[in-house]
DNA sequence: TCTGGGGTCCTAGGACCC
DNA sequence: TCTGGGGTCCTAGGACCC
């Protein structure tokens, strides 16, 4: 019988911010998305104030001030670093670990003699070594482990660990879980299920399988089986290589100048190719999309998207920039105020196993390009990203630049911003 | 009156996740 | 004034081939 644990950090980004500011203990903390747009993480005190996930920050400013909420811009280098420390800690304690997201990991505890005791130890050690509180759910399938992780989190009596295997009544737990809270059942399906009178996870398990298969595809069927205790999802120890890779941003202010739009697209393309090379991969096509604001009906709306195929797989930044600019030209329409742009690299494949193309560069030129990119990456790794950059992206004070007024210091990833003691 | 069958590949759209 | 960013998978339909 398989046994899975899901380790999930509590209010991860908010906990990270609090870690270096002990005076925030007990105070409500929220973390905002890029551009300080909306709330993407809340401490338990902030949740208790009724601040919802995704709340637009500007609508809540007054409440933030009135209730003494500590507000932070997002600081992903900090969160990524703390996440890596947590995952390393888990790997030291559990036999098989799947890093599922920045703040979650599945463990395969099949055959472990006392899994609950191990989970308690894991929880304690992560808290002591890294300082971030986690909750752990234990069950026969990933979907059930995820579900009871919610129980571990919401009911403090369990001390942060809840096991469905300790003679618990599975039906009782499913019966008090909203169908929309099940992992794999999103807002669309949950609305349709509610319309059929399916309110809880238990109602969902009891639906005829062929209906689920027809209406929710094999994905829905897998969720149903997993809730019933049949494991369909296994532990994925090595992350699958990416098939696509995206860099997109909402602009600090609206952009109508084509030249500014080009700068933004180039800078996103540069970042995307950097990620591509870090993965040791190459792309075969480049997609660009641009759009006007979604939430303002009084402005003329336009969103466009275009894909340009590359003659051969590459991770050469200038080649990708040229393709991205061509794609931008294809989807740009003048006379609109744009709010967002993105560059997606598609058809990713490892650089060392590449398809030979008739349109390939001659090998000497290809080596020259690879050498140039390697040198560029080495300099930026050594002296900080952006040390060597493309002139077109470097202009100061552009409307597309991100707003981040409340970023915390990069305590763990920047020498200049280390916390001071004493 | 009557218009094959089967396979592959690509794309767009929809759904989900954190 | 002001609403994030980065992914995956499934399905249906069309193009194309023999």
């Amino acid at each position: 019988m398989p046994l899975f644990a899901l380790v999930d950090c509590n209010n991860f980004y908010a906990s990270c911010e609090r870690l270096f500011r002990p005076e925030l203990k007990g105070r409500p903390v929220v973390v905002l998305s890029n551009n300080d747009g909306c709330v993407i993480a809340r401490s338990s005190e902030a949740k208790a104030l009724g601040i919802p996930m995704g709340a637009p920050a500007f609508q809540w400013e007054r409440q933030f001030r009135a209730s003494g909420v500590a507000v932070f811009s997002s600081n992903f280098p900090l969160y990524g670093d703390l996440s890596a420390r947590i995952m390393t800690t888990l790997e030291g304690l559990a036999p098989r670990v799947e890093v599922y997201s920045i703040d979650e990991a599945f463990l395969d505890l099949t055959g472990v003699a006392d899994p609950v005791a191990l989970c308690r130890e894991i929880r304690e050690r992560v808290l002591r070594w890294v300082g971030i509180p986690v909750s752990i759910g234990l069950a026969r399938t990933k979907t059930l482990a995820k579900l009871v992780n919610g129980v571990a989190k919401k009911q403090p009596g369990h001390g942060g660990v809840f096991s469905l295997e300790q003679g618990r009544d599975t039906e009782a737990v499913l019966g008090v879980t909203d169908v929309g809270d099940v992992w794999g059942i999103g807002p669309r399906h949950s609305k349709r299920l509610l319309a059929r009178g399916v309110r809880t996870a238990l109602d969902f398990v009891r639906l005829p399988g062929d209906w689920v298969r027809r209406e929710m595809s094999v994905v829905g069927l897998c969720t149903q089986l997993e809730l019933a205790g049949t494991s369909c999802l296994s532990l994925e120890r090595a992350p699958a290589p990416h098939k696509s890779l995206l860099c997109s941003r909402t602009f600090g202010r609206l952009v109508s100048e084509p030249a500014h739009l080009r700068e933004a697209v180039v800078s996103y393309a540069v970042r995307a190719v950097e990620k591509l090379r870090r993965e040791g991969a190459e792309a075969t096509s480049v997609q660009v999309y641009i759009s006007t604001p979604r939430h303002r009906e009084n402005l003329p709306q336009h969103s466009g998207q275009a894909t340009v195929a590359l003659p051969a797989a590459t991770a050469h930044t200038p080649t990708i920039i040229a393709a991205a600019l061509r794609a931008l030209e294809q989807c740009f329409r003048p006379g609109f105020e744009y709010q967002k742009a993105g560059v997606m690299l598609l058809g990713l494949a490892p650089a060392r196993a590449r398809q030979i193309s008739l349109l390939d560069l001659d090998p000497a030129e290809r080596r020259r390009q690879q050498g140039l990119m390697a040198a560029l990456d080495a300099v930026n790794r050594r002296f900080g990203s952006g040390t060597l950059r493309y002139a077109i992206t470097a202009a100061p004070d552009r409307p597309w630049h991100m707003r981040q007024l409340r970023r915390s210091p990069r305590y763990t990833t920047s020498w200049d911003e280390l916390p001071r003691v004493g």
Side-chain angles (χ1 to χ4, degrees), chain A residues 270-317:
Chain A
V270 169
R271 295 201 45 162
V273 194
E274 280 170 0
K275 288 196 234 172
L276 184 68
R277 287 197 297 269
R278 219 174 301 143
E279 299 211 352
E282 295 179 326
T284 57
S285 61
V286 182
Q287 182 175 90
V288 168
Y289 70 84
I290 51 177
S291 62
T292 53
R294 284 175 301 168
H295 301 281
R296 271 170 285 169
E297 286 80 15
N298 51 336
L299 285 177
Q301 308 263 330
H302 169 60
S303 73
Q305 160 265 314
T307 307
V308 167
L310 297 160
T314 185
H316 182 239
T317 302

Side-chain angles (χ1 to χ4, degrees), chain A residues 72-144:
Chain A
F72 293 94
S73 301
S74 42
N75 185 349
F76 287 103
L78 175 68
Y79 313 149
D81 183 59
L82 291 172
S83 170
R85 296 180 191 204
I86 291 167
M87 300 310 170
T88 306
T89 308
L90 296 181
E91 273 154 12
L93 282 169
R96 291 168 293 276
V97 178
E98 171 188 344
V99 177
Y100 176 69
S101 75
I102 193 166
D103 71 334
E104 282 168 277
F106 284 103
L107 316 177
D108 178 357
L109 299 186
T110 309
V112 169
D114 189 347
V116 174
L118 177 60
C119 287
R120 295 201 185 283
E121 189 186 348
I122 287 171
R123 190 168 176 280
E124 219 170 277
R125 191 180 287 190
V126 172
L127 190 59
R128 204 168 49 230
W129 286 14
V130 191
I132 299 289
V134 302
S135 301
I136 306 181
L138 265 163
R140 275 156 294 158
T141 70
K142 282 180 155 183
T143 305
L144 285 171

Side-chain angles (χ1 to χ4, degrees), chain A residues 104-376:
Chain A
E104 282 168 277
F106 284 103
L107 316 177
D108 178 357
L109 299 186
T110 309
V112 169
D114 189 347
V116 174
L118 177 60
C119 287
R120 295 201 185 283
E121 189 186 348
I122 287 171
R123 190 168 176 280
E124 219 170 277
R125 191 180 287 190
V126 172
L127 190 59
R128 204 168 49 230
W129 286 14
V130 191
I132 299 289
V134 302
S135 301
I136 306 181
L138 265 163
R140 275 156 294 158
T141 70
K142 282 180 155 183
T143 305
L144 285 171
K146 185 100 178 158
L147 191 143
V148 296
N149 183 282
V151 179
K153 226 170 228 150
K154 280 173 212 145
Q155 302 177 4
H158 303 294
V161 177
F162 187 94
S163 167
L164 205 51
E165 302 309 292
Q166 294 177 304
R168 313 267 191 188
D169 183 352
T170 303
E171 292 209 342
V173 175
L174 294 183
V176 296
T177 303
D178 286 344
V179 72
D181 289 342
V182 172
W183 188 43
I185 299 181
R188 293 297 171 88
H189 284 321
S190 99
K191 199 174 159 197
R192 293 177 54 206
L193 288 164
L194 283 175
R196 276 183 63 101
V198 177
R199 280 181 38 253
T200 66
L202 186 60
D203 297 337
F204 178 67
V205 169
R206 290 177 173 165
L207 281 174
D210 58 347
W211 185 89
V212 175
R213 169 70 183 84
R214 198 170 58 244
E215 300 293 323
M216 300 173 67
S217 86
V218 292
V219 182
L221 194 57
C222 162
T223 298
Q224 194 190 31
L225 285 166
E226 285 243 320
L227 285 177
T230 303
S231 177
C232 306
L233 303 171
S234 54
L235 197 85
E236 313 279 344
R237 298 191 63 185
H242 283 134
K243 297 174 175 176
S244 68
L245 192 156
L246 171 77
C247 178
S248 75
R249 290 284 182 279
T250 300
F251 304 141
R253 304 196 304 274
L254 297 185
V255 172
S256 45
E257 275 298 312
H260 292 167
L261 213 48
R262 280 197 294 273
E263 291 170 5
V265 163
V266 169
S267 83
Y268 304 161
V270 169
R271 295 201 45 162
V273 194
E274 280 170 0
K275 288 196 234 172
L276 184 68
R277 287 197 297 269
R278 219 174 301 143
E279 299 211 352
E282 295 179 326
T284 57
S285 61
V286 182
Q287 182 175 90
V288 168
Y289 70 84
I290 51 177
S291 62
T292 53
R294 284 175 301 168
H295 301 281
R296 271 170 285 169
E297 286 80 15
N298 51 336
L299 285 177
Q301 308 263 330
H302 169 60
S303 73
Q305 160 265 314
T307 307
V308 167
L310 297 160
T314 185
H316 182 239
T317 302
T319 305
I320 304 258
I321 289 178
L325 287 174
R326 251 186 298 144
L328 174 62
E329 210 167 298
Q330 285 173 31
C331 61
F332 174 76
R333 289 235 293 276
F336 290 94
E337 301 216 90
Y338 291 95
Q339 190 202 30
K340 184 174 181 176
V343 175
M344 194 175 338
L345 304 179
L346 304 160
L348 269 46
R352 55 184 78 242
R354 70 199 301 277
Q355 288 278 329
I356 307 292
S357 159
L358 278 179
L359 302 172
D360 247 342
L361 298 166
D362 80 81
E365 173 60 13
R366 197 175 137 72
R367 273 198 302 279
R368 195 191 65 80
Q369 291 188 350
Q370 285 176 328
L372 180 61
M373 291 300 107
L376 185 99

